[in-house]
Every structure is written in C-alpha cells, then in structure tokens.
Amino acid sequence: MTAVSKPAGEPEGTAEQAALTDGIHLVVDALKINEVENVYGVVGIPITDLARVAQASGIRYIGFRHESDAGHAAAAAGFLTKKPGICLTVSAPGFLNGLVALANATTNCFPMVQISGSSERHLVDLQRGDYEELDQLAAAKPFVKAAYRVHRAEDIGRGIARAIRTAASGRPGGVYLDIPAAVLGEVIDAEKGAASLWKVVDPAPAQLPSHEAVDRAIDLLASAERPLIVLGKGAAYAQADSQVREFVESTGIPYLPMSMAKGLLPDDHPQSAATARSLALKRADVVLLVGARLNWLLGHGEAPQWNPDAKFIQVDIAANEMDSNQPIAAPLVGDVGSVLEALAERTKPGQISVSAEWKDELADRTRKNVDRMAGKLAAAREAAPMQFLGALQAVRDVLAEHPNVKLVNEGANALDKARSTIGMQRPRHRLDVGTWGVMGIGMGYAIAAAVETGDPVVAVEGDSAFGFSGMEIETVCRYRLPIVTLVLNNSGVYRGDEASTTDDPAPTALGARHERMIEAFGGKGYRATTPDEVATALREALAAGEPALIDCVIDPADGTESGNIAHLNPKGISAKQ
Ligand code: ADP
Ligand code: TPW
C-alpha cells in the first residue's frame, strides 16, 4: 500500500525519482503487517484519508455515528478475538468520546488500541488555541493501561507495535496511541518507511506458574470439604475452553460462571451451581477463582455473603490482583490455559474429590430455586400487559434453536432478568455491561460481534440502555449486519410508572416507538405486546438474517429501581422520612 510519488517540488520526469510514502500509509501498512482486519471509527480532520487508505488496503473500516460506540466495538472485538480491537478517532472531542470506551476496555481487561489524530503540538503545548486543541496524551493517561505519542513518521511502526504488545500482553487493556496531523502528513522515503515497520511476535506469551505454586494450590484443593470454582470473563477471554472444561469435569468441583463466562461450559451442565449461588458462596471452604476478580461483583469476598473462613486460590495473569481484597492462600500467576494444564498434570489420580454431601446440598438448593423460578415464569408467561420475564422466556426459547447467536445485553432489569433466564451453550457468546455496569455498550458490542464472527447477533436492551447507542441502528442498517435488537420497553429507566411532581416528566420517564427508528434506516421494525408476538418476530428476524428491531411493550410497573443492585443507592434522609 506504500504510496509512490515524486518528491514535492521535483520537476516531472526526473530520472532518479525516489519512491515516497507518508504517515497515513505507514499507519495502514503497520496495521496490515500486524494482521488487523477491522477498524472501527468516526472520520474527520486529520484521519479521514487514513480511513480511506485503510479501506482501500483491504482492512474493513466500519464508520460509526459516535466514537463511544466505535470504541465499544473495538473493545468487544478485543474480547472476542484476543487481538487488540482498533478504534480510530479525530482530535479533541472525538478522542474524548472514544476515551470512555477505552477506559471501559481497560476496566474489563479487554485489549484495545485507540489511535487518534491530534492537533499541532507547537500550538497545543503553548495553548495558542488550535483547531480541536487538547493535550490528548495527558488526558488519556489516567484512564488507560498505557498512552504513547508518535513524533516522527519513522516511529509509526514502533508506535503501533508497542501499542499492540502493551494492549495484548499480561493483563489486557486499553492503549492510547496519539499521532499528530503533522506526522500523518509527513513524507519520507518509502524504503526507509517500509524498513521501519514490523510484526509483533507472540503478542501475549504464555505465562506458566512454578511447580511449587501449582502444588500448593492442589494441596489446598485436596484438603477442601466444600470446594468451588468461580469462572470469570478472564477465563472466557483466555480461549482455554478445553482446559477449563477438562479441569472442571475431571475434578467434579461445582462451579459458578460469572456473567460473561456463561457458556464456557453449557449453562445446564450438572456441575453448575449458578442456581444455588448464594448457598455456594456462603458455604464453600476453598474457592478457586479462574480469571475472576474478587471485586464488587463478588462482594469483595467478604462475609456474610461468603464463608468468613473460606480460603482462596486465584488464577490470574496479573500478579498484583492477588490479595487485592482477601488473602490469597495459593496464588497462581499465569494464563488460564497454562495454569489449568499444570494443575491437571500435577494432580495425582484421586487426589481431588468432592463429597456427596456437598453435591447434594447444592443440588437440593438448585431444585428449590428452580421450582420457585418456574412458578414466577409461569405467572409471567400469562401476564398482561407483558412482563420482562414473559418476553424473556420467548427470547430464551427461540435462542435455544440458535446456539450460534451472540447475545449482547444491557439495562438494569433487562440485564439481570435476561442473564438468569437465557442459558448460554457456547463460550464468548454473551457480552454485557461488564465490570463498570456501563450503559451504551449495546450497539457497539453487537456490531463488533457481527463483524468479527459473522454470526447472527441478538441485543437484549433496556429502553434506557438502548438510547445511549441507539443511533448506531443506522450503522447496523448501512452495513446490513445480521443484528436483531430487542428493546424491552417499559417506558423508563428501571420502571416507567413514576409519577412526576411537576409539569415535566419524572426523572426516570421515557417514551419511544423504537421500531419506527429502524424503519427510517431501511431495517425491519416489529412491535410485540405478548410473548408469542416476541417469539414470532424474533424467529422471523433471525431467519431473514437482516437488521431488525423488535420493540417489546412491557408493563411500565414491572421492574425494580436499579435491578439487583438497588442496595448500592445512597439512602440519605429520604430513607428516614
Ligand atoms: P468477572 O467480571 O467475570 O468476574 P473480571 O473482569 O473481574 O471477571 O476478572 C478477569 C480477570 O482475568 C482479570 O483479573 C484479568 O487480569 C484476568 N485475565 C485476563 N486474561 C487472562 C488470561 N489469559 N489468563 C489469566 N487471567 C486473565
Ligand atoms: C454510562 C446508570 C444504570 S441502568 C440504567 C442507567 C441509566 C438504565 C436502566 O433502564 P433500562 O433497563 O435500560 O430501561 P430496565 O430493564 O431496568 O428498564 N450512565 C451510564 N452507565 C450507567 N450505568 C448509568 C448511566 C444506569
């Protein structure tokens, strides 16, 4: 893709015409050498030509309506492929819009690189008021794994190699790469340019724990009366699916999947303790965490949610994750695949066993909870107006016919209820709000899932959640992606029945006919008011494989404030009144 031209100012027909290239072509060449297939972005000064040249080179460029969505797409691409997803943004405001997604990727440990054009350094640094002036490198630093700036075209290859290496290796995360307009436009000798580029070798090398660390963990597991494995999204990310499955099944230890680890083993697996979660946490005496942090999502490993005497074994690529919340009795620092292989290799036959009492205790609770849930589901199936659980059962039944569907999920009630209702059969098929519980990932994640895998995608969205990235429904239609968006529309944030105390709508109130939005962009819109209508529309839309949106009309009185995490709302004096 190297541009060949005569040097500026050189007369036509000079015998010894040098081949030249520029910063834009070097960026594209460096991405190509590193086998980047897709770039997600929004164009403008100074990166419009960069997008054009990338597209002409065979890289797929997906143009978004907002940089946060493009960034979320790049982050999801990183999670799904284990290769940094690339997001391209313009200077200052575009950069800042994308930064939210880069920070979110870092929080979730997804590899991503945001490449942003930036304004003239000599103007920005003296704050002389340039077009879209911002010290982007400084702004990015607190939010990312690393931030780099390229000052010379000859360093572009190095900058991209460094960004890819940093994003993918160790604990994956977001890397910011700043390339000023002047560097993108810099013209250099093409041969010198080509020689400055390289392909990163083994971007995320295997990391193996010592034998001593492995044996310490095995001894502890072998001493357990009530062992438990917790699988997190780091285990899903690691693509060590067979090692995970073999270790879980060969030891017989019950396991709990975190939200995005669902499907690593099928949700109906006999060892899943998901439906007896609270009992499992309260009673387990030795817990093996695999790519899961003891953060707020796991109650920081504290009593009363957890057994106060529980001992923890933690498998994580990041050594400093150990002891971040609880003492880790047996740290296993390494990648999930290598660690689980080492554990399997060094466990003696019969050394780890699980008592019938422990299995029975969990099975009893599972049975009780399943029965209780069955009653709720049956009631919801008949309820009119439609409830979340009525619509979601229909979605569950249709998706059981399509195990290849990638499921994207955000909202509050829409998230909690879909997570517990819709079983996953395959690894990395569920993408959701993740560690931050961020709204707005919906369309970006869905677009990346479709682009990166070619599989059909279903996005289950709260009506508020959908609004954050709703305009990208146009992007879905423009690229004709096989994405079906279901908006669980209860006319509000959490609920839609809050009475206002003024002439304005209540703070939580919303109102939209979302199916009409997609019709404006040439997609297929459906409105569903019963579970049967949801099922029929979803079946039809999946069969068509075309962009579609189903507005599912849900009872505004269904749902709870903040869903499952209402206890995190500050109480203040309103609670005392
Ligand atoms: P969840 O929210 O599902 O509980 P977290 O995001 O809290 O999961 O934890 C994921 C963990 O996985 C992070 O601490 C991260 O360092 C770790 N991780 C990421 N990739 C790997 C890998 N290949 N091997 C081991 N650990 C990994
Ligand atoms: C970037 C706060 C958490 S959940 C939510 C908001 C606004 C929407 C809930 O309503 P929705 O779902 O989507 O209609 P449902 O099923 O309960 O009716 N801004 C950001 N992230 C978060 N988390 C918020 C605001 C929030």
Side-chain angles (χ1 to χ4, degrees), residues 109 171 232-234 237-238 258 291-293 295 316-317 334-336 435:
C109 313
R171 170 180 278 174
K233 60 179 169 303
Y237 171 78
M258 298 300 285
R293 287 170 283 188
N295 58 14
D316 205 292
I317 196 102
D335 67 281
V336 168
T435 305

Side-chain angles (χ1 to χ4, degrees), residues 65-379:
R65 294 307 197 105
H66 192 285
E67 292 86 353
S68 282
D69 306 323
H72 288 313
F79 170 71
L80 289 167
T81 66
K82 248 184 142 178
K83 288 161 64 177
I86 309 289
C87 172
L88 191 58
T89 58
V90 304
S91 323
F95 152 79
L96 281 173
N97 283 342
L99 190 57
V100 170
L102 192 65
N104 187 51
T106 307
T107 303
N108 282 306
C109 313
F110 299 162
M112 168 179 168
V113 176
Q114 181 179 346
I115 300 177
S116 189
S118 58
S119 300
E120 296 300 330
R121 296 267 19 112
H122 63 280
L123 299 175
V124 174
D125 288 349
L126 279 173
Q127 297 181 25
R128 292 175 59 196
D130 197 10
Y131 168 72
E132 296 191 342
E133 176 181 293
L134 182 74
D135 186 355
Q136 296 172 196
L137 189 72
K141 271 186 181 156
F143 302 104
V144 297
K145 187 172 175 189
Y148 306 120
R149 179 183 289 139
V150 175
H151 283 269
R152 308 178 299 178
E154 68 192 74
D155 287 331
I156 284 172
R158 180 172 287 111
I160 289 197
R162 198 146 167 61
I164 289 173
R165 167 74 67 194
T166 303
S169 61
R171 170 180 278 174
V175 173
Y176 174 59
L177 185 63
D178 190 282
I179 314 186
V183 179
L184 290 171
E186 190 185 335
V187 175
I188 65 169
D189 176 75
E191 228 172 87
K192 184 178 165 196
S196 71
L197 310 180
W198 70 84
K199 178 171 169 18
V200 177
V201 177
D202 193 9
Q207 258 176 254
L208 283 76
S210 68
H211 288 170
E212 196 190 353
V214 174
D215 292 345
R216 186 189 297 124
I218 294 171
D219 287 346
L220 188 52
L221 264 184
S223 73
E225 282 176 23
R226 294 178 303 281
L228 178 71
I229 296 173
V230 178
L231 301 173
K233 60 179 169 303
Y237 171 78
Q239 298 192 13
D241 308 339
S242 58
Q243 291 95 324
V244 169
R245 187 173 191 134
E246 270 167 43
F247 187 76
V248 170
E249 291 183 342
S250 67
T251 58
I253 299 174
Y255 74 94
L256 277 176
M258 298 300 285
S259 188
M260 282 179 63
K262 274 163 69 79
L264 205 42
L265 292 130
D267 270 344
D268 55 3
H269 195 281
Q271 285 170 249
S272 170
T275 319
R277 188 177 194 271
S278 48
L279 179 79
L281 300 189
K282 219 185 267 297
R283 295 275 295 145
D285 63 347
V286 175
V287 181
L288 171 64
L289 300 159
V290 184
R293 287 170 283 188
L294 275 180
N295 58 14
W296 71 280
L297 285 159
L298 281 171
H300 305 283
E302 284 167 4
Q305 203 177 334
W306 290 80
N307 171 1
D309 300 321
K311 297 212 166 4
F312 291 98
I313 304 166
Q314 185 160 25
V315 180
D316 205 292
I317 196 102
N320 68 350
E321 183 55 39
M322 309 295 153
D323 304 302
S324 56
N325 278 284
Q326 297 297 329
I328 300 301
L332 286 166
V333 178
D335 67 281
V336 168
S338 301
V339 173
L340 292 189
E341 265 167 33
L343 283 172
E345 256 168 45
R346 295 185 70 80
T347 303
K348 297 182 194 82
Q351 195 178 1
I352 296 173
S353 60
V354 183
S355 71
E357 290 81 27
W358 179 222
K359 285 189 209 165
D360 289 349
E361 195 179 340
L362 291 169
D364 279 353
R365 180 64 67 90
T366 298
R367 225 170 293 120
K368 277 196 196 109
N369 286 347
V370 167
D371 286 350
R372 213 178 42 203
M373 192 63 190
K376 271 196 200 163
L377 288 172

Side-chain angles (χ1 to χ4, degrees), residues 388 410-414 437-439 462-465 468 490 492-495:
F388 281 105
E410 62 176 335
N413 297 279
V438 67
M439 297 300 114
D463 52 330
S464 163
F468 286 75
N490 66 345
V493 180
Y494 313 131
R495 289 166 70 108

